Amino acid sequence: MASSQYEIIECRTIDGVMIRGWFYATGAPAPAVIMTPGFNCVKEMLLPDVAERFQSTGYNAFIYDPRSIGDSDGVPKNQIDPQKQAEDLADIVTHISTLPSVDASRIILWGMSFGGTVSACAAAVDRRVKALVMVCPILSFYKPEKRQKAFVQLMKDRQSQLRGNDAFTLPPFNSKGENPIGMAGSGGPGGLESFGFMNAVIDRGAPNFRNRITLQSYHKLAMWHPKETLKLVDSTPVMMVIPELDAMSPPEEQMEEFEKFRQSKRVLIAKGKGHLTVLSGNGSEEILDAQMDFMKAAAEGTLH
């Protein structure tokens, strides 16, 4: 990917954390799509090709590393805090809105996987957002049978840190495709798919990716209830892309949440697609075309 296609942008949050990303500009004021990656993912993972596609059709696009991940600031490193990530998006919207190629009245939030849910929670409060695109959102995190053991581990780690020890870290998925809370297809095909994907990332051009998270990330997830927040997404037009073969976020759960929206909305069932293949390979062009049709209609106010 040629560096001339984007410029490096920094956005400062209200608590002083610098969020860094790549901005793909258009030649004249146009809508901007702010693109949030998945769980512990960096901007280089799957998003550049999509951003280039949006740019080629007249949309500004901004892909970034969420706080504590990749090139962005925030400590402890790789502590996943979805509530903070959603709040940070408000400050990212503010910054991107000031750029000369951006029409500030037409800001679109786009997120994939965990990032789709984070984007939706941001849009719930930020009514500057013109439209929302959720691609294979992950909506549930803890399996009930995993809570007791996981909660004990979380408290032990907090006690350890108070004694001066470093935060405990671990991969999001081990070699068996498992994690302590049973999230995102843990222990099944989805978990194994994620393990393989994460372990291949650095070789695919993401040098600042770190395949570890803090254990306390699971504390943050336990305190986050996105389905409740999604009830506040009551006027922003929304599109959801649901992979038919998603093994990390059950398609029926995604559809159940989509059906609760009462505003203008569209859904696309991506036939033959899985969680990590929904934007690549055969059929991906049609999936992207459908998203751009939705964004165009939402930006122009013609969506019904």
Side-chain angles (χ1 to χ4, degrees):
M1 181 171 52
S3 61
S4 60
Q5 291 176 303
Y6 63 84
E7 59 180 310
I8 297 172
I9 294 288
E10 295 184 331
C11 307
R12 187 180 298 277
T13 67
I14 62 170
D15 60 346
V17 172
M18 194 67 77
I19 304 297
R20 297 182 177 89
W22 298 346
F23 184 69
Y24 296 75
T26 57
V33 187
I34 298 173
M35 304 173 64
T36 300
F39 190 79
N40 198 45
C41 291
V42 293
K43 60 189 174 298
E44 292 90 346
M45 297 163 71
L46 303 176
L47 299 191
D49 289 345
V50 181
E52 289 180 11
R53 178 68 183 278
F54 290 161
Q55 182 190 40
S56 71
T57 56
Y59 288 80
N60 297 282
F62 181 62
I63 63 177
Y64 69 99
D65 296 335
R67 69 162 57 213
S68 85
I69 298 170
D71 293 333
S72 290
D73 294 343
V75 291
K77 290 298 289 182
N78 296 88
Q79 179 150 296
I80 313 303
D81 187 336
Q83 185 62 40
K84 282 291 188 183
Q85 287 188 19
E87 293 173 10
D88 291 345
L89 268 169
D91 301 327
I92 293 170
V93 168
T94 296
H95 184 81
I96 296 300
S97 296
T98 67
L99 300 179
S101 66
V102 172
D103 178 348
S105 69
R106 295 188 288 173
I107 301 290
I108 298 163
L109 295 189
W110 183 104
M112 180 176 182
S113 187
F114 186 74
T117 311
V118 168
S119 297
C121 289
V125 177
D126 194 341
R127 301 307 169 100
R128 297 172 297 175
V129 174
K130 190 71 172 179
L132 168 68
V133 179
M134 306 168 70
V135 180
C136 57
I138 296 177
L139 298 157
S140 297
F141 305 100
Y142 271 82
K143 287 185 177 178
E145 67 273 17
K146 298 284 188 179
R147 289 178 192 149
Q148 182 64 25
K149 183 177 180 180
F151 289 171
V152 169
Q153 290 175 322
L154 289 173
M155 294 307 109
K156 287 182 176 179
D157 179 54
R158 291 187 73 90
Q159 292 169 331
S160 173
Q161 290 187 52
L162 285 172
R163 293 194 295 268
N165 297 313
D166 291 339
F168 183 78
T169 66
L170 71 169
F173 294 90
N174 65 19
S175 60
K176 296 180 180 179
E178 298 172 336
N179 55 59
I181 66 171
M183 71 172 281
S186 172
L192 289 170
E193 182 183 12
S194 294
F195 171 78
F197 176 74
M198 298 291 183
N199 277 274
V201 165
I202 293 177
D203 294 335
R204 295 175 179 172
N208 291 327
F209 171 71
R210 182 170 181 252
N211 191 27
R212 298 188 75 83
I213 61 172
T214 66
L215 184 65
Q216 290 304 313
S217 299
Y218 296 128
H219 196 171
K220 305 298 185 184
L221 288 177
M223 305 294 286
W224 192 47
H225 303 285
K227 289 184 180 180
E228 288 299 311
T229 305
L230 260 60
K231 294 176 182 178
L232 302 177
V233 185
D234 54 7
S235 58
T236 303
V238 59
M239 179 177 187
M240 190 178 290
V241 178
I242 304 175
E244 179 188 30
L245 306 179
D246 199 325
M248 296 179 65
S249 180
E252 59 273 14
E253 183 179 23
Q254 296 180 55
M255 181 58 76
E256 181 181 359
E257 289 305 306
F258 175 80
E259 289 176 346
K260 294 177 183 177
F261 293 123
R262 293 292 175 262
Q263 68 272 37
S264 298
K265 61 182 182 178
R266 289 183 185 175
V267 65
L268 174 64
I269 306 299
K271 298 291 185 181
K273 292 293 189 176
H275 195 85
L276 296 175
T277 61
V278 66
L279 298 178
S280 60
N282 292 335
S284 60
E285 290 294 315
E286 291 80 1
I287 293 169
L288 288 173
D289 285 343
Q291 293 175 52
M292 288 185 288
D293 286 345
F294 166 78
M295 292 191 297
K296 183 176 186 293
E300 295 177 351
T302 59
L303 188 67
H304 300 290

Short mmCIF file of all heavy atoms in Angstrom, two decimals, residues 242-298:
data_model
loop_
_atom_site.label_atom_id
_atom_site.label_comp_id
_atom_site.label_asym_id
_atom_site.label_seq_id
_atom_site.Cartn_x
_atom_site.Cartn_y
_atom_site.Cartn_z
N ILE A 242 -24.25 -9.41 8.64
CA ILE A 242 -24.22 -10.62 9.45
C ILE A 242 -23.69 -11.78 8.62
O ILE A 242 -24.35 -12.22 7.67
CB ILE A 242 -25.62 -10.96 9.99
CG1 ILE A 242 -26.20 -9.78 10.78
CG2 ILE A 242 -25.58 -12.22 10.84
CD1 ILE A 242 -27.64 -9.99 11.23
N PRO A 243 -22.49 -12.30 8.92
CA PRO A 243 -21.99 -13.45 8.18
C PRO A 243 -22.83 -14.70 8.48
O PRO A 243 -23.07 -15.03 9.65
CB PRO A 243 -20.55 -13.62 8.70
CG PRO A 243 -20.22 -12.31 9.36
CD PRO A 243 -21.52 -11.79 9.89
N GLU A 244 -23.24 -15.36 7.45
CA GLU A 244 -24.08 -16.55 7.61
C GLU A 244 -23.40 -17.63 8.44
O GLU A 244 -24.06 -18.34 9.23
CB GLU A 244 -24.44 -17.11 6.23
CG GLU A 244 -25.30 -18.36 6.26
CD GLU A 244 -25.47 -18.98 4.88
OE1 GLU A 244 -24.55 -18.85 4.04
OE2 GLU A 244 -26.53 -19.58 4.64
N LEU A 245 -22.08 -17.75 8.32
CA LEU A 245 -21.34 -18.84 8.98
C LEU A 245 -20.48 -18.33 10.13
O LEU A 245 -19.47 -18.94 10.46
CB LEU A 245 -20.46 -19.55 7.95
CG LEU A 245 -21.18 -20.06 6.69
CD1 LEU A 245 -20.19 -20.73 5.74
CD2 LEU A 245 -22.31 -21.02 7.06
N ASP A 246 -20.89 -17.24 10.76
CA ASP A 246 -20.11 -16.64 11.85
C ASP A 246 -20.00 -17.62 13.02
O ASP A 246 -21.00 -18.02 13.62
CB ASP A 246 -20.77 -15.35 12.31
CG ASP A 246 -19.82 -14.45 13.08
OD1 ASP A 246 -18.97 -14.97 13.82
OD2 ASP A 246 -19.94 -13.21 12.95
N ALA A 247 -18.75 -18.00 13.37
CA ALA A 247 -18.51 -18.92 14.48
C ALA A 247 -17.99 -18.21 15.71
O ALA A 247 -17.64 -18.86 16.70
CB ALA A 247 -17.51 -20.00 14.04
N MET A 248 -17.94 -16.87 15.67
CA MET A 248 -17.47 -16.09 16.81
C MET A 248 -18.58 -15.26 17.45
O MET A 248 -18.55 -14.98 18.65
CB MET A 248 -16.32 -15.17 16.38
CG MET A 248 -15.08 -15.91 15.91
SD MET A 248 -13.78 -14.77 15.38
CE MET A 248 -13.39 -13.96 16.94
N SER A 249 -19.54 -14.85 16.64
CA SER A 249 -20.70 -14.10 17.12
C SER A 249 -21.92 -14.72 16.48
O SER A 249 -22.13 -14.57 15.27
CB SER A 249 -20.57 -12.62 16.74
OG SER A 249 -21.69 -11.88 17.20
N PRO A 250 -22.75 -15.43 17.23
CA PRO A 250 -23.86 -16.18 16.63
C PRO A 250 -24.73 -15.31 15.74
O PRO A 250 -25.21 -14.25 16.17
CB PRO A 250 -24.64 -16.68 17.85
CG PRO A 250 -23.63 -16.74 18.96
CD PRO A 250 -22.69 -15.59 18.70
N PRO A 251 -24.95 -15.71 14.49
CA PRO A 251 -25.77 -14.91 13.59
C PRO A 251 -27.17 -14.62 14.14
O PRO A 251 -27.70 -13.52 13.94
CB PRO A 251 -25.84 -15.77 12.32
CG PRO A 251 -24.59 -16.59 12.36
CD PRO A 251 -24.36 -16.88 13.81
N GLU A 252 -27.74 -15.59 14.86
CA GLU A 252 -29.08 -15.37 15.39
C GLU A 252 -29.08 -14.29 16.47
O GLU A 252 -30.06 -13.53 16.62
CB GLU A 252 -29.66 -16.67 15.93
CG GLU A 252 -28.87 -17.33 17.04
CD GLU A 252 -27.78 -18.28 16.54
OE1 GLU A 252 -27.45 -18.23 15.33
OE2 GLU A 252 -27.27 -19.07 17.35
N GLU A 253 -28.00 -14.17 17.23
CA GLU A 253 -27.90 -13.11 18.23
C GLU A 253 -27.76 -11.75 17.56
O GLU A 253 -28.37 -10.76 17.99
CB GLU A 253 -26.73 -13.36 19.17
CG GLU A 253 -26.62 -12.33 20.29
CD GLU A 253 -25.46 -12.58 21.23
OE1 GLU A 253 -24.48 -13.26 20.82
OE2 GLU A 253 -25.51 -12.10 22.37
N GLN A 254 -26.97 -11.69 16.50
CA GLN A 254 -26.83 -10.44 15.76
C GLN A 254 -28.19 -10.01 15.19
O GLN A 254 -28.58 -8.84 15.29
CB GLN A 254 -25.82 -10.60 14.62
CG GLN A 254 -24.40 -10.90 15.09
CD GLN A 254 -23.43 -11.06 13.93
OE1 GLN A 254 -23.31 -10.17 13.08
NE2 GLN A 254 -22.72 -12.17 13.88
N MET A 255 -28.92 -10.95 14.61
CA MET A 255 -30.22 -10.62 14.03
C MET A 255 -31.21 -10.19 15.10
O MET A 255 -32.01 -9.25 14.89
CB MET A 255 -30.77 -11.82 13.25
CG MET A 255 -32.12 -11.55 12.60
SD MET A 255 -32.12 -10.14 11.45
CE MET A 255 -31.28 -10.90 10.04
N GLU A 256 -31.16 -10.82 16.25
CA GLU A 256 -32.05 -10.45 17.34
C GLU A 256 -31.86 -8.99 17.74
O GLU A 256 -32.83 -8.25 17.97
CB GLU A 256 -31.82 -11.36 18.55
CG GLU A 256 -32.70 -11.07 19.74
CD GLU A 256 -32.43 -11.97 20.91
OE1 GLU A 256 -31.54 -12.86 20.81
OE2 GLU A 256 -33.08 -11.80 21.96
N GLU A 257 -30.58 -8.56 17.81
CA GLU A 257 -30.32 -7.16 18.16
C GLU A 257 -30.73 -6.23 17.03
O GLU A 257 -31.28 -5.15 17.27
CB GLU A 257 -28.84 -6.96 18.52
CG GLU A 257 -28.45 -7.59 19.83
CD GLU A 257 -29.31 -7.11 20.99
OE1 GLU A 257 -29.43 -5.88 21.19
OE2 GLU A 257 -29.88 -7.97 21.68
N PHE A 258 -30.47 -6.65 15.80
CA PHE A 258 -30.86 -5.80 14.66
C PHE A 258 -32.36 -5.57 14.66
O PHE A 258 -32.83 -4.44 14.39
CB PHE A 258 -30.44 -6.45 13.34
CG PHE A 258 -30.91 -5.69 12.14
CD1 PHE A 258 -30.25 -4.56 11.70
CD2 PHE A 258 -32.05 -6.10 11.45
CE1 PHE A 258 -30.70 -3.84 10.60
CE2 PHE A 258 -32.51 -5.39 10.35
CZ PHE A 258 -31.84 -4.25 9.92
N GLU A 259 -33.14 -6.57 14.95
CA GLU A 259 -34.59 -6.45 14.89
C GLU A 259 -35.14 -5.49 15.93
O GLU A 259 -36.27 -5.01 15.81
CB GLU A 259 -35.23 -7.83 15.03
CG GLU A 259 -35.01 -8.71 13.79
CD GLU A 259 -35.54 -10.12 13.96
OE1 GLU A 259 -35.85 -10.50 15.11
OE2 GLU A 259 -35.67 -10.83 12.95
N LYS A 260 -34.36 -5.17 16.95
CA LYS A 260 -34.81 -4.24 17.99
C LYS A 260 -34.74 -2.78 17.53
O LYS A 260 -35.41 -1.93 18.11
CB LYS A 260 -33.98 -4.42 19.26
CG LYS A 260 -34.17 -5.77 19.93
CD LYS A 260 -33.25 -5.92 21.14
CE LYS A 260 -33.39 -7.29 21.77
NZ LYS A 260 -32.44 -7.47 22.91
N PHE A 261 -33.93 -2.49 16.51
CA PHE A 261 -33.85 -1.12 16.01
C PHE A 261 -35.17 -0.74 15.35
O PHE A 261 -35.75 -1.52 14.59
CB PHE A 261 -32.71 -0.97 15.01
CG PHE A 261 -31.34 -1.14 15.59
CD1 PHE A 261 -30.47 -2.10 15.09
CD2 PHE A 261 -30.90 -0.35 16.64
CE1 PHE A 261 -29.19 -2.26 15.62
CE2 PHE A 261 -29.63 -0.50 17.18
CZ PHE A 261 -28.78 -1.47 16.67
N ARG A 262 -35.63 0.47 15.61
CA ARG A 262 -36.90 0.93 15.06
C ARG A 262 -36.72 2.04 14.02
O ARG A 262 -37.67 2.44 13.35
CB ARG A 262 -37.81 1.43 16.20
CG ARG A 262 -38.26 0.30 17.12
CD ARG A 262 -39.22 -0.64 16.41
NE ARG A 262 -39.60 -1.79 17.21
CZ ARG A 262 -39.03 -3.00 17.11
NH1 ARG A 262 -38.07 -3.21 16.21
NH2 ARG A 262 -39.44 -3.99 17.87
N GLN A 263 -35.51 2.55 13.88
CA GLN A 263 -35.26 3.62 12.93
C GLN A 263 -34.98 3.03 11.55
O GLN A 263 -35.09 1.83 11.34
CB GLN A 263 -34.08 4.49 13.41
CG GLN A 263 -32.72 3.77 13.39
CD GLN A 263 -32.44 3.02 14.67
OE1 GLN A 263 -33.32 2.44 15.27
NE2 GLN A 263 -31.17 3.04 15.09
N SER A 264 -34.60 3.89 10.60
CA SER A 264 -34.23 3.41 9.27
C SER A 264 -33.06 2.44 9.40
O SER A 264 -32.07 2.73 10.08
CB SER A 264 -33.83 4.59 8.37
OG SER A 264 -34.91 5.46 8.19
N LYS A 265 -33.16 1.31 8.74
CA LYS A 265 -32.13 0.28 8.93
C LYS A 265 -32.10 -0.66 7.72
O LYS A 265 -33.07 -0.78 6.97
CB LYS A 265 -32.41 -0.52 10.20
CG LYS A 265 -33.74 -1.27 10.20
CD LYS A 265 -33.96 -2.00 11.53
CE LYS A 265 -35.26 -2.79 11.52
NZ LYS A 265 -35.46 -3.53 12.79
N ARG A 266 -30.95 -1.30 7.59
CA ARG A 266 -30.78 -2.33 6.57
C ARG A 266 -29.95 -3.46 7.16
O ARG A 266 -29.08 -3.23 8.00
CB ARG A 266 -30.05 -1.79 5.34
CG ARG A 266 -30.87 -0.84 4.49
CD ARG A 266 -30.10 -0.42 3.25
NE ARG A 266 -30.84 0.59 2.48
CZ ARG A 266 -30.37 1.21 1.41
NH1 ARG A 266 -29.14 0.91 0.97
NH2 ARG A 266 -31.10 2.11 0.77
N VAL A 267 -30.22 -4.67 6.70
CA VAL A 267 -29.41 -5.81 7.11
C VAL A 267 -28.99 -6.57 5.86
O VAL A 267 -29.73 -6.63 4.88
CB VAL A 267 -30.20 -6.74 8.07
CG1 VAL A 267 -31.40 -7.38 7.37
CG2 VAL A 267 -29.28 -7.81 8.66
N LEU A 268 -27.78 -7.10 5.92
CA LEU A 268 -27.27 -7.94 4.83
C LEU A 268 -26.76 -9.24 5.44
O LEU A 268 -25.87 -9.21 6.30
CB LEU A 268 -26.13 -7.24 4.08
CG LEU A 268 -25.41 -8.09 3.02
CD1 LEU A 268 -26.37 -8.45 1.90
CD2 LEU A 268 -24.20 -7.36 2.48
N ILE A 269 -27.34 -10.34 5.03
CA ILE A 269 -26.83 -11.65 5.43
C ILE A 269 -25.77 -12.05 4.41
O ILE A 269 -26.07 -12.23 3.22
CB ILE A 269 -27.95 -12.71 5.47
CG1 ILE A 269 -29.11 -12.23 6.36
CG2 ILE A 269 -27.40 -14.04 5.96
CD1 ILE A 269 -28.72 -12.00 7.80
N ALA A 270 -24.53 -12.16 4.87
CA ALA A 270 -23.42 -12.46 3.97
C ALA A 270 -23.33 -13.98 3.79
O ALA A 270 -22.75 -14.69 4.62
CB ALA A 270 -22.13 -11.89 4.53
N LYS A 271 -23.91 -14.46 2.72
CA LYS A 271 -24.00 -15.90 2.48
C LYS A 271 -22.62 -16.53 2.32
O LYS A 271 -21.76 -16.00 1.61
CB LYS A 271 -24.82 -16.16 1.22
CG LYS A 271 -26.26 -15.67 1.31
CD LYS A 271 -27.07 -16.49 2.29
CE LYS A 271 -28.54 -16.08 2.28
NZ LYS A 271 -29.33 -16.87 3.26
N GLY A 272 -22.40 -17.63 3.00
CA GLY A 272 -21.16 -18.38 2.88
C GLY A 272 -19.96 -17.73 3.55
O GLY A 272 -18.84 -18.22 3.41
N LYS A 273 -20.19 -16.65 4.31
CA LYS A 273 -19.10 -15.90 4.93
C LYS A 273 -19.00 -16.19 6.42
O LYS A 273 -20.01 -16.38 7.10
CB LYS A 273 -19.29 -14.40 4.72
CG LYS A 273 -19.14 -13.94 3.28
CD LYS A 273 -17.70 -14.11 2.81
CE LYS A 273 -17.46 -13.48 1.46
NZ LYS A 273 -16.04 -13.56 1.05
N GLY A 274 -17.75 -16.17 6.91
CA GLY A 274 -17.48 -16.30 8.33
C GLY A 274 -17.07 -14.96 8.92
O GLY A 274 -16.99 -13.95 8.21
N HIS A 275 -16.77 -14.97 10.21
CA HIS A 275 -16.47 -13.73 10.92
C HIS A 275 -15.25 -13.02 10.34
O HIS A 275 -15.27 -11.79 10.17
CB HIS A 275 -16.21 -14.07 12.39
CG HIS A 275 -16.22 -12.89 13.31
ND1 HIS A 275 -17.38 -12.38 13.85
CD2 HIS A 275 -15.22 -12.11 13.78
CE1 HIS A 275 -17.09 -11.35 14.62
NE2 HIS A 275 -15.78 -11.15 14.59
N LEU A 276 -14.21 -13.76 10.03
CA LEU A 276 -12.96 -13.16 9.57
C LEU A 276 -12.84 -13.13 8.05
O LEU A 276 -11.85 -12.63 7.52
CB LEU A 276 -11.77 -13.90 10.18
CG LEU A 276 -11.66 -13.80 11.70
CD1 LEU A 276 -10.51 -14.67 12.22
CD2 LEU A 276 -11.46 -12.35 12.14
N THR A 277 -13.83 -13.66 7.34
CA THR A 277 -13.77 -13.68 5.87
C THR A 277 -14.85 -12.82 5.23
O THR A 277 -14.96 -12.78 4.01
CB THR A 277 -13.92 -15.12 5.35
OG1 THR A 277 -15.19 -15.66 5.75
CG2 THR A 277 -12.80 -16.01 5.89
N VAL A 278 -15.62 -12.10 6.05
CA VAL A 278 -16.78 -11.39 5.52
C VAL A 278 -16.39 -10.26 4.57
O VAL A 278 -17.17 -9.90 3.69
CB VAL A 278 -17.63 -10.84 6.69
CG1 VAL A 278 -16.89 -9.78 7.49
CG2 VAL A 278 -18.96 -10.30 6.19
N LEU A 279 -15.17 -9.74 4.70
CA LEU A 279 -14.77 -8.61 3.84
C LEU A 279 -13.70 -8.98 2.81
O LEU A 279 -13.10 -8.11 2.21
CB LEU A 279 -14.24 -7.47 4.72
CG LEU A 279 -15.25 -6.86 5.70
CD1 LEU A 279 -14.58 -5.78 6.53
CD2 LEU A 279 -16.46 -6.30 4.96
N SER A 280 -13.50 -10.27 2.61
CA SER A 280 -12.48 -10.70 1.65
C SER A 280 -12.98 -11.89 0.85
O SER A 280 -13.92 -12.57 1.24
CB SER A 280 -11.17 -11.06 2.38
OG SER A 280 -11.39 -12.11 3.30
N GLY A 281 -12.32 -12.13 -0.28
CA GLY A 281 -12.66 -13.28 -1.10
C GLY A 281 -13.92 -13.08 -1.92
O GLY A 281 -14.43 -11.97 -2.09
N ASN A 282 -14.44 -14.19 -2.43
CA ASN A 282 -15.61 -14.16 -3.30
C ASN A 282 -16.80 -13.52 -2.59
O ASN A 282 -17.10 -13.85 -1.44
CB ASN A 282 -15.99 -15.57 -3.74
CG ASN A 282 -14.96 -16.18 -4.68
OD1 ASN A 282 -14.23 -15.46 -5.35
ND2 ASN A 282 -14.89 -17.50 -4.72
N GLY A 283 -17.44 -12.61 -3.28
CA GLY A 283 -18.62 -11.96 -2.73
C GLY A 283 -18.35 -10.71 -1.93
O GLY A 283 -19.28 -9.97 -1.59
N SER A 284 -17.08 -10.43 -1.63
CA SER A 284 -16.78 -9.28 -0.79
C SER A 284 -17.09 -7.95 -1.48
O SER A 284 -17.48 -6.98 -0.83
CB SER A 284 -15.31 -9.30 -0.35
OG SER A 284 -14.44 -9.27 -1.46
N GLU A 285 -16.93 -7.90 -2.80
CA GLU A 285 -17.22 -6.67 -3.52
C GLU A 285 -18.70 -6.30 -3.38
O GLU A 285 -19.04 -5.13 -3.16
CB GLU A 285 -16.86 -6.83 -5.00
CG GLU A 285 -15.37 -6.89 -5.27
CD GLU A 285 -14.66 -5.60 -4.93
OE1 GLU A 285 -15.19 -4.53 -5.30
OE2 GLU A 285 -13.61 -5.64 -4.29
N GLU A 286 -19.56 -7.29 -3.48
CA GLU A 286 -21.00 -7.03 -3.34
C GLU A 286 -21.33 -6.58 -1.92
O GLU A 286 -22.20 -5.71 -1.72
CB GLU A 286 -21.79 -8.29 -3.69
CG GLU A 286 -21.76 -8.67 -5.16
CD GLU A 286 -20.49 -9.41 -5.57
OE1 GLU A 286 -19.63 -9.65 -4.70
OE2 GLU A 286 -20.37 -9.75 -6.76
N ILE A 287 -20.64 -7.13 -0.93
CA ILE A 287 -20.88 -6.74 0.46
C ILE A 287 -20.46 -5.30 0.68
O ILE A 287 -21.17 -4.52 1.33
CB ILE A 287 -20.13 -7.70 1.42
CG1 ILE A 287 -20.75 -9.10 1.33
CG2 ILE A 287 -20.15 -7.19 2.85
CD1 ILE A 287 -19.94 -10.18 2.03
N LEU A 288 -19.32 -4.91 0.13
CA LEU A 288 -18.87 -3.52 0.24
C LEU A 288 -19.78 -2.58 -0.55
O LEU A 288 -20.09 -1.47 -0.09
CB LEU A 288 -17.43 -3.39 -0.24
CG LEU A 288 -16.37 -3.99 0.69
CD1 LEU A 288 -15.00 -3.95 0.02
CD2 LEU A 288 -16.33 -3.23 2.01
N ASP A 289 -20.23 -3.02 -1.71
CA ASP A 289 -21.16 -2.20 -2.49
C ASP A 289 -22.44 -1.90 -1.70
O ASP A 289 -22.95 -0.77 -1.72
CB ASP A 289 -21.52 -2.90 -3.80
CG ASP A 289 -20.39 -2.85 -4.83
OD1 ASP A 289 -19.48 -2.02 -4.68
OD2 ASP A 289 -20.44 -3.65 -5.79
N ALA A 290 -22.94 -2.92 -1.02
CA ALA A 290 -24.16 -2.74 -0.23
C ALA A 290 -23.95 -1.74 0.89
O ALA A 290 -24.83 -0.91 1.19
CB ALA A 290 -24.62 -4.09 0.33
N GLN A 291 -22.78 -1.78 1.51
CA GLN A 291 -22.48 -0.82 2.57
C GLN A 291 -22.40 0.60 2.01
O GLN A 291 -22.91 1.55 2.62
CB GLN A 291 -21.16 -1.19 3.25
CG GLN A 291 -21.20 -2.49 4.03
CD GLN A 291 -19.84 -2.87 4.58
OE1 GLN A 291 -19.18 -2.08 5.24
NE2 GLN A 291 -19.42 -4.10 4.31
N MET A 292 -21.76 0.74 0.86
CA MET A 292 -21.64 2.07 0.27
C MET A 292 -22.99 2.61 -0.19
O MET A 292 -23.26 3.81 -0.08
CB MET A 292 -20.61 2.04 -0.87
CG MET A 292 -19.18 1.90 -0.33
SD MET A 292 -17.90 1.99 -1.59
CE MET A 292 -18.12 0.41 -2.40
N ASP A 293 -23.86 1.73 -0.69
CA ASP A 293 -25.21 2.17 -1.05
C ASP A 293 -25.95 2.70 0.17
O ASP A 293 -26.63 3.73 0.10
CB ASP A 293 -25.99 1.00 -1.66
CG ASP A 293 -25.55 0.65 -3.07
OD1 ASP A 293 -24.84 1.47 -3.70
OD2 ASP A 293 -25.89 -0.45 -3.55
N PHE A 294 -25.80 1.99 1.29
CA PHE A 294 -26.44 2.43 2.53
C PHE A 294 -25.86 3.77 3.00
O PHE A 294 -26.62 4.70 3.34
CB PHE A 294 -26.24 1.38 3.63
CG PHE A 294 -26.56 1.87 5.01
CD1 PHE A 294 -27.87 1.98 5.44
CD2 PHE A 294 -25.53 2.24 5.88
CE1 PHE A 294 -28.16 2.45 6.72
CE2 PHE A 294 -25.82 2.71 7.15
CZ PHE A 294 -27.14 2.82 7.58
N MET A 295 -24.54 3.89 3.00
CA MET A 295 -23.92 5.13 3.48
C MET A 295 -24.30 6.30 2.59
O MET A 295 -24.53 7.42 3.09
CB MET A 295 -22.39 4.95 3.54
CG MET A 295 -21.95 3.96 4.64
SD MET A 295 -20.17 3.96 4.95
CE MET A 295 -19.52 3.42 3.37
N LYS A 296 -24.36 6.09 1.29
CA LYS A 296 -24.74 7.16 0.36
C LYS A 296 -26.16 7.64 0.66
O LYS A 296 -26.42 8.84 0.75
CB LYS A 296 -24.64 6.67 -1.09
CG LYS A 296 -24.94 7.73 -2.14
CD LYS A 296 -24.70 7.16 -3.53
CE LYS A 296 -24.85 8.26 -4.61
NZ LYS A 296 -26.24 8.75 -4.71
N ALA A 297 -27.07 6.68 0.83
CA ALA A 297 -28.46 7.05 1.09
C ALA A 297 -28.59 7.75 2.45
O ALA A 297 -29.33 8.75 2.58
CB ALA A 297 -29.35 5.80 1.05
N ALA A 298 -27.87 7.28 3.45
CA ALA A 298 -27.92 7.90 4.78
C ALA A 298 -27.33 9.31 4.74
O ALA A 298 -27.89 10.25 5.31
CB ALA A 298 -27.18 7.04 5.80
#
